[in-house]
Amino acid sequence: MNSPISVSTLNTQIKSLLETTFINVYVEGEISNLTYHNSGHIYFSIKDENSTISCVMFKGNAKYLKFQLEVGLKVVITGNITVYTPRGSYQLMCNKIEPSGQGALALAYEQLKQKLQAKGYFEASIKKQLPKYPKKIALVTSPTGAAIEDMKKVASNRWPLTKFILIPTLVQGEGAKVDIVNSINYAKTLDVDLLVVGRGGGSIEDLWAFNEEMVADAIFNCEKPVVSAVGHEIDFLISDFVADVRAATPSNAMEIVLPDANEHRIYLDNLENEFRHRISNTLENKQNLLDNLSRLFEQNSLKNRFNLIEKEIVFMKNSFKTNLTQIFNSYQNEINSLKNSYKTNDPSKKDFKGYVQISQNNQIINLDKMKVGEKITLQTPNIIALCEIKKLNKQ
């Protein structure tokens, strides 16, 4: 009969067998019993409908985990089986964890986005306004990338009056997120009007530093306006949502933060033309008013008033003369008419031939008023006869 072995020996043999047999395990399951330990290790279990297995991810591998593990999240784990000899328990030691059905970075992006949105990092009401004419701008970017050259080119063409302070920053790879945070914290201590944080395009891995929570915190806590200008137009990073303004590209950031000198030149030309036009119209109106006042003053001057009075006097004088002449002429015409009438009716110039004037007591009478026996006087221009009526025959 074989001699019995100790428990420790059995566990050691099991450990050797399991760890040499299950070296590279690739397993899928749902996370449960999740614990983030203060040491940096992560303890949890994965399960399916029928079974559960304990898992551990040590700090050395956990620091490379891009997303946050959550209870109920389905994951795919790459690792190996280990046995803890003192307790005779085995567990899956995780080297790499990926979310099932989607990339780790995509999940990490959505998790952080939801977290920051819940904290109010994206609220439009807290976004700071950009100054219209910035005097100094801090550029948090790489000093050797294409982004800085693009920004310099656009800035020189748009508004050369602005001064730029470049803060050389690591924008890709290990340590990039820390360097970006340090650069932002340094930039906000400078005498600048705003910060532009960004870099040129690249893969999601290249741009990942701008999806880190610590970078989002630094942007959110910056007292000065921050413009996020990362990647291309199709790239949307966490920094874009947290920043006060999102630019599609670094070049676009310069178009956003700087006024257009050409537009201002056109505006000033139009303003000058409008100013000249208004001044010309104003001067013309004032000149017309002055001319009108001058003519009015001239019309109401003492000299003009005296001239007007003199003209009125002359007019009245002439009118008086004309009226007086007309009156004299009228009387003269009347006198002449009477004179002519007298001349026409002068008895001495009339030829009566058989006609005489009958009068009685120096009054001219009609013969039909006389009676037989009355005395009458018959008179011609040259002869006066005293007669007595002997007989009257009335017809």
Side-chain angles (χ1 to χ4, degrees), residues 28-87:
E28 183 180 48
E30 182 180 304
I31 294 176
S32 64
N33 302 320
L34 177 64
T35 300
Y36 274 84
H37 199 273
N38 293 334
S39 63
H41 307 323
I42 305 174
Y43 299 97
F44 61 97
S45 299
I46 59 170
K47 64 180 181 177
D48 57 18
E49 294 84 354
N50 302 311
S51 298
T52 300
I53 184 173
S54 298
C55 303
V56 61
M57 189 174 210
F58 294 118
K59 180 180 179 180
N61 290 322
K63 67 180 181 180
Y64 297 107
L65 191 62
K66 296 297 183 181
F67 63 98
Q68 189 82 10
L69 297 183
E70 297 175 353
V71 174
L73 180 65
K74 197 171 184 179
V75 295
V76 176
I77 299 174
T78 301
N80 54 281
I81 298 297
T82 62
V83 177
Y84 185 58
T85 305
R87 286 204 300 265

Side-chain angles (χ1 to χ4, degrees), residues 68 240 326 367:
Q68 189 82 10
D240 293 336
Q326 289 178 351
L367 187 58

Side-chain angles (χ1 to χ4, degrees), residues 341-353:
S341 177
Y342 175 78
K343 288 180 179 181
T344 302
N345 296 291
D346 186 357
S348 63
K349 294 181 179 181
K350 288 184 178 180
D351 186 9
F352 289 97
K353 291 183 179 182

Side-chain angles (χ1 to χ4, degrees), residues 106-120:
L107 178 59
Y109 175 88
E110 290 299 327
Q111 287 179 335
L112 182 57
K113 184 178 176 182
Q114 292 176 10
K115 178 181 179 181
L116 297 181
Q117 188 170 18
K119 292 173 66 175

Side-chain angles (χ1 to χ4, degrees), residues 373-385:
E374 288 182 341
K375 293 180 179 179
I376 60 175
T377 299
L378 301 178
Q379 184 178 351
T380 65
N382 299 317
I383 298 174
I384 298 175

Side-chain angles (χ1 to χ4, degrees), residues 226-265:
V226 177
V227 177
S228 175
V230 184
H232 300 300
E233 188 172 356
I234 60 173
D235 298 319
F236 281 85
L237 288 303
I238 294 297
S239 62
D240 293 336
F241 295 106
V242 182
D244 299 294
V245 175
R246 184 246 178 191
T249 62
S251 298
N252 179 240
M254 294 298 100
E255 295 172 350
I256 292 174
V257 302
L258 296 177
D260 189 345
N262 291 327
E263 290 182 358
H264 280 68
R265 291 189 185 99

Side-chain angles (χ1 to χ4, degrees), residues 189-231:
T189 65
L190 302 176
D191 182 23
V192 295
D193 297 309
L194 61 96
L195 284 67
V196 176
V197 180
R199 55 154 291 162
S203 65
I204 185 63
E205 290 80 11
D206 294 337
L207 306 178
W208 191 254
F210 295 92
N211 282 328
E212 295 287 356
E213 184 173 3
M214 64 187 306
V215 173
D217 290 338
I219 294 175
F220 181 78
N221 293 320
C222 184
E223 296 84 3
K224 297 179 180 179
V226 177
V227 177
S228 175
V230 184

